[in-house]
Amino acid sequence: MSGDGVVEVPGRRGLLDEVEAAEADLRAAAEARPVADQSDLTAYFAAVIAADQKVEPRDWMPEAYRKGLIRQIAQHAHSEIIGMQPEGNWITRAPSLKRKAILLAKVQDEAGHGLYLYAAAETLGVSRDELVDLLLQGRQKYSSIFNYPTLTWADVGAIGWLVDGAAIVNQVPLCRCSYGPYARAMIRICKEESFHQRQGYEILYTLANGTPAQRAMAQDAVNRWWYPSLAMFGPPDRESTHSEQSMAWKIKRFSNDELRQRFVDMCVPQAEVLGLSLPDPALRWNEQRGSYDFTPPDFDELFRVIAGDGPCNRQRMAHRRRAHAEGAWVREAAAAYAAKHRSSDAG
Ligand code: FAQ
């Protein structure tokens, strides 16, 4: 704990430093353009990637690069929006006014992340409406993790610590993604996710140092969220369809397994400070590798959940469809207001 009574998450500062370094490099990359002759578009694109500069919406890009980015950014945006549901479930039952205000702000932040990401995807020539339709028709995915239920208040802490923690480990390298609008969105998102992780950690810290029943509730939540959080990083490298191309284009900077390992190595000391255990008897420090050995998640379960058969898939999609239909009047009113202003500006 720091001097002002704030619970610090061990290792958090290092991740924030990486985000700041990525932000500085992003500015430098923008100033350094252009790298080469633009008469050969394919060669120019390859040179921008090789020089670690940024591809911007105005630039020519291979169709597969554009489509791959739309796939990943849209899936990411949908995850943020669907991801509001498991925690939103606890806003009315938060144990104090302060906890309620913090959770409300956190869930609103996730909506904001969805909007930054839809805006980044729109720079690739698709509209947000199209992407939302694809989600509602089940033709685009969202993260497996949001298909698990939040059974107790401690789950809100476990989501903040583990799910936001995994999100940060995955997303800090995306601040260096070769596509400028995605990289810029990720910098802002990572700064906010860092606060989210800290609020979850602080909830668990309080429960772990509370009554025996509160401590047991915290441990139970960690036991249930650990493996689904490990699965968030995707299939093992040998079964990952997109990693190789994505890494060649510097969209992804590390493989699924590399990031999963980084997450485990980050969580072990954090769990020690919490005084909670991680539910893996095989977890131990490997001196030779300089990392922890651990039991991987059940990837068959991951594929089942991705295919729609997780504990809450149907509930999440039904809720999203209902919320979308109930929000139709807001979209219509906003469009009518914009049209009215356009015609009065033209007059
Ligand atoms: N869930 O070839 P790969 C958050 C799919 S954080 C569902 O390895 P890739 C914050 C994958 O799409 C969560 N599907 O794929 C928050 C592909 O299928 P496709 C969101 C998954 O893209 C916290 C197939 O499996 N974060 O929301 C998953 O190279 C708390 C083969 O996989 C991001 O989206 C999965 N876990 O690597 C919000 C980060 N894993 O598309 C609220 C950006 C894999 O061919 C509350 N995304 N698949 O049909 C990424 O970094 C990557 O897309 C990975 C997957 C690492 C997720």
Side-chain angles (χ1 to χ4, degrees):
M1 202 179 288
S2 71
D4 58 1
V6 174
V7 178
E8 270 306 332
V9 189
R12 173 175 169 271
R13 189 63 245 170
L15 286 168
L16 276 172
D17 288 344
E18 277 185 54
V19 175
E20 271 162 31
E23 192 171 11
D25 287 353
L26 190 64
R27 289 215 181 92
E31 280 160 21
R33 291 169 58 88
V35 283
D37 168 25
Q38 293 197 37
S39 56
D40 179 343
L41 292 174
T42 317
Y44 180 71
F45 175 82
V48 168
I49 301 281
D52 265 331
Q53 294 183 356
K54 299 294 161 194
V55 178
E56 295 294 341
R58 62 174 178 259
D59 295 333
W60 178 88
M61 59 190 87
E63 193 49 22
Y65 178 83
R66 194 181 72 83
K67 283 207 170 121
L69 274 170
I70 292 176
R71 177 193 66 82
Q72 177 168 326
I73 301 175
Q75 175 174 316
H76 194 165
H78 301 328
S79 303
E80 301 281 358
I81 300 298
I82 300 273
M84 295 167 73
Q85 293 184 39
E87 290 167 291
N89 179 34
W90 278 91
I91 290 173
T92 54
R93 292 173 289 164
S96 70
L97 182 60
K98 186 174 136 202
R99 294 287 186 204
K100 190 183 181 106
I102 294 171
L103 184 57
L104 203 54
K106 197 237 178 209
V107 173
Q108 279 177 349
D109 280 355
E110 308 299 359
H113 296 175
L115 297 189
Y116 308 157
L117 288 162
Y118 285 126
E122 284 190 311
T123 65
L124 291 156
V126 277
S127 72
R128 184 168 141 197
D129 285 348
E130 285 173 79
L131 297 176
V132 170
D133 282 347
L134 288 169
L135 170 70
L136 298 182
Q137 291 163 20
R139 289 168 58 202
Q140 276 183 342
K141 299 186 163 82
Y142 59 90
S143 180
S144 51
I145 192 73
F146 303 118
N147 293 307
Y148 291 85
T150 36
L151 304 179
T152 69
W153 170 250
D155 288 28
V156 174
I159 291 183
W161 176 39
L162 295 173
V163 176
D164 286 283
I168 300 173
V169 168
N170 168 264
Q171 290 169 21
V172 166
L174 290 175
C175 296
R176 293 181 177 278
C177 163
S178 58
Y179 188 58
Y182 193 25
R184 287 189 284 275
M186 289 320 308
I187 284 174
R188 193 155 169 190
I189 290 175
C190 282
K191 289 183 182 171
E192 291 175 3
E193 294 289 16
S194 170
F195 154 75
H196 295 171
Q197 189 205 18
R198 182 163 162 169
Q199 68 84 37
Y201 194 79
E202 204 261 340
I203 290 174
L204 285 182
Y205 188 91
T206 305
L207 292 173
N209 290 286
T211 64
Q214 287 171 324
R215 193 181 165 72
M217 184 165 75
Q219 185 62 61
D220 173 61
V222 170
N223 292 350
R224 283 181 291 106
W225 286 91
W226 175 247
Y227 283 107
S229 300
L230 290 186
M232 280 174 76
F233 294 91
D237 292 351
R238 62 179 183 282
E239 289 176 55
S240 164
T241 37
H242 302 291
S243 284
E244 196 182 335
Q245 182 59 79
S246 228
M247 286 171 77
W249 277 331
K250 297 186 181 170
I251 296 172
K252 271 168 106 158
R253 295 295 185 139
F254 298 96
S255 76
N256 299 355
D257 287 333
E258 283 169 335
L259 292 176
R260 199 172 354 257
Q261 179 73 61
R262 195 170 171 185
F263 176 66
V264 172
D265 292 346
M266 180 184 92
C267 287
V268 174
Q270 294 176 350
E272 275 163 16
V273 173
L274 286 175
L276 296 173
S277 62
L278 295 171
D280 181 0
L283 193 67
R284 62 182 58 84
W285 179 250
N286 182 322
E287 195 64 50
Q288 244 172 355
R289 292 196 308 116
S291 271
Y292 284 90
D293 290 336
F294 64 98
T295 309
D298 176 351
F299 291 112
D300 290 339
E301 176 177 325
L302 171 67
F303 289 124
R304 272 199 311 278
V305 175
I306 293 178
D309 203 16
C312 299
N313 296 55
R314 289 164 197 82
Q315 179 187 334
R316 300 291 184 238
M317 284 308 294
H319 183 85
R320 181 90 292 276
R321 289 196 182 98
R322 198 167 53 244
H324 189 71
E326 285 172 1
W329 70 272
V330 179
R331 293 190 295 280
E332 280 159 24
Y337 182 79
K340 194 168 134 193
H341 270 261
R342 264 197 307 276
S343 62
S344 67
D345 287 350

